[in-house]
Amino acid sequence: VWAGCRVLSWNNQVTWTFPFGGYGTFLSKGSLKLLLQPLHCEDTNKSTTQMSDFQQGACQKLLYKANHGYPINATIGEERFFELGDSLNKVFYKYMRGVGRFCLHSDWLFGYITNFYNISRHTVLNSTWWDDRKGDFQENRLHSLMNSEFYSKPEGQCKHDGTTRSCTANATICHYVKESDMERITVLGKQQNNHSRMKNRKSISDNDMSGRTRDILYLNTTKSSHLKSIENRRNRKSPYAIDVLIVGSKFKTR
C-alpha cells in the first residue's frame, strides 16, 4: 500500500504513519485481495495451524488479542464487530456504521489498517530516513510514493500542496487542484508535448540525413576541384549535408 504523501509521527512518539488526505492512497492487487479475503479463523489459536501469516495475524488480533502484546493487542474496537467469515473490509464497514462516534478521517483509517494488519509488505530499508530507523517495527507497512513524505517539511510530491503554483504538468501528484489549476496544467502539458514532438522530429531528421549514403552522380565533368570540394563535404559528415548531382560543370542540389 502506497501513500501519495506519507505523514510521519514525531520520532519520540509512536511509530505511526498515514496517508495525507488528497494525495491519494494506492493499493496493489495483492493488498486488495487480502482486504477482501474472508477470515474463517478455524484453529487459529493452535500452533498447528496452516493459515497464512496474514490470516494468522488478523485472526489473533480480532479474536485473541488479550494473549498478545503490542502491536497485536492494539485495536480501535473493530474486534467487537467481527464474525467468522468476515473480511477486513466487511469488519470495518460494520465498525463505521455501528460504532457510537466514528471520528476517524478516512486516511487515518487506511493508515491503521495498512500498518496494523498484514495487507502490505514491510517497508524497505535504505529508502527513507524514517524506514531506515523504524525498520524493525512490525507495524511499519505504509510505503511512500517516490519518497514523498511530510515530517518537519514536505518532501517529494508532498511539495505540490496546491497553495502555490507548484503543481505543473511534470508533477505526478497534486493536492487541492482547482478547475483553474487543471486548465493551467493542461495548457502547460500541451506546450511541453508540442516542444518534445518538434525536438524528436528534428532529431530523427538529423539522424536520417547523417546516416544516409551519399549517392553522388558524376556526369560530364573534368574539373578535379569540383570533385575535391565534394569529397571534402563528404568527409566533414555534416548532419545537414545534402546529396549533390553534378551536371556538366555545375552543381545542383537534389
Side-chain angles (χ1 to χ4, degrees):
V1 181
W2 301 81
C5 176
R6 184 174 66 169
V7 180
L8 312 177
S9 301
W10 292 108
N11 193 40
N12 60 348
Q13 296 178 354
V14 296
T15 302
W16 170 238
T17 61
F18 61 90
F20 196 123
Y23 287 91
T25 303
F26 308 90
L27 283 76
S28 67
K29 182 179 179 180
S31 293
L32 282 173
K33 289 176 65 175
L34 294 177
L35 191 62
L36 300 173
Q37 179 179 326
L39 299 169
H40 298 287
C41 299
E42 290 90 350
D43 298 326
T44 305
N45 208 30
K46 297 180 180 180
S47 59
T48 56
T49 181
Q50 299 299 313
M51 302 179 72
S52 67
D53 290 341
F54 161 72
Q55 292 173 304
Q56 178 77 6
C59 291
Q60 291 290 337
K61 193 174 184 69
L62 292 168
L63 293 176
Y64 308 109
K65 74 171 189 175
N67 298 339
H68 300 275
Y70 185 88
I72 292 181
N73 68 351
T75 67
I76 56 176
E78 71 274 14
E79 69 276 9
R80 295 186 287 115
F81 299 90
F82 174 68
E83 297 178 6
L84 292 179
D86 284 349
S87 65
L88 286 180
N89 183 66
K90 189 170 184 179
V91 170
F92 284 99
Y93 172 78
K94 293 192 295 186
Y95 172 79
M96 289 184 290
R97 292 172 63 88
V99 71
R101 290 183 175 85
F102 181 73
C103 58
L104 287 175
H105 193 287
S106 60
D107 294 289
W108 300 346
L109 182 62
F110 259 115
Y112 170 69
I113 296 173
T114 300
N115 286 316
F116 287 84
Y117 286 90
N118 191 16
I119 68 168
S120 178
R121 68 181 177 89
H122 204 278
T123 53
V124 181
L125 298 181
N126 299 317
S127 57
T128 66
W129 182 94
W130 175 275
D131 292 332
D132 285 346
R133 288 158 179 77
K134 302 287 185 177
D136 57 343
F137 286 80
Q138 179 181 345
E139 68 275 21
N140 189 24
R141 296 182 177 275
L142 179 64
H143 300 254
S144 62
L145 184 68
M146 304 171 67
N147 292 334
S148 303
E149 298 185 327
F150 194 101
Y151 186 61
S152 58
K153 62 179 181 179
E155 301 289 347
Q157 301 299 309
C158 300
K159 296 177 181 179
H160 306 144
D161 60 357
T163 58
T164 64
R165 297 173 67 87
S166 63
C167 186
T168 67
N170 294 325
T172 301
I173 297 175
C174 295
H175 194 204
Y176 295 120
V177 178
K178 302 181 291 295
E179 182 179 355
S180 58
D181 293 321
M182 296 178 69
E183 293 176 350
R184 175 177 56 82
I185 294 170
T186 299
V187 172
L188 289 174
K190 288 181 177 179
Q191 292 174 348
Q192 291 182 5
N193 288 337
N194 290 336
H195 177 73
S196 178
R197 282 197 296 268
M198 293 300 294
K199 186 176 181 180
N200 289 338
R201 286 177 183 175
K202 182 179 182 300
S203 176
I204 293 173
S205 176
D206 290 351
N207 291 335
D208 179 64
M209 290 299 296
S210 62
R212 286 169 55 189
T213 301
R214 308 301 179 215
D215 295 326
I216 303 180
L217 178 62
Y218 303 99
L219 295 176
N220 302 325
T221 181
T222 57
K223 295 187 177 181
S224 60
S225 60
H226 290 172
L227 296 176
K228 186 176 181 180
S229 175
I230 295 171
E231 188 66 23
N232 289 339
R233 170 174 287 196
R234 296 177 65 189
N235 292 336
R236 285 198 300 269
K237 297 182 179 179
S238 169
Y240 301 104
I242 57 176
D243 293 347
V244 178
L245 174 66
I246 303 177
V247 182
S249 60
K250 296 182 179 179
F251 292 107
K252 181 179 181 181
T253 60
R254 65 173 182 180

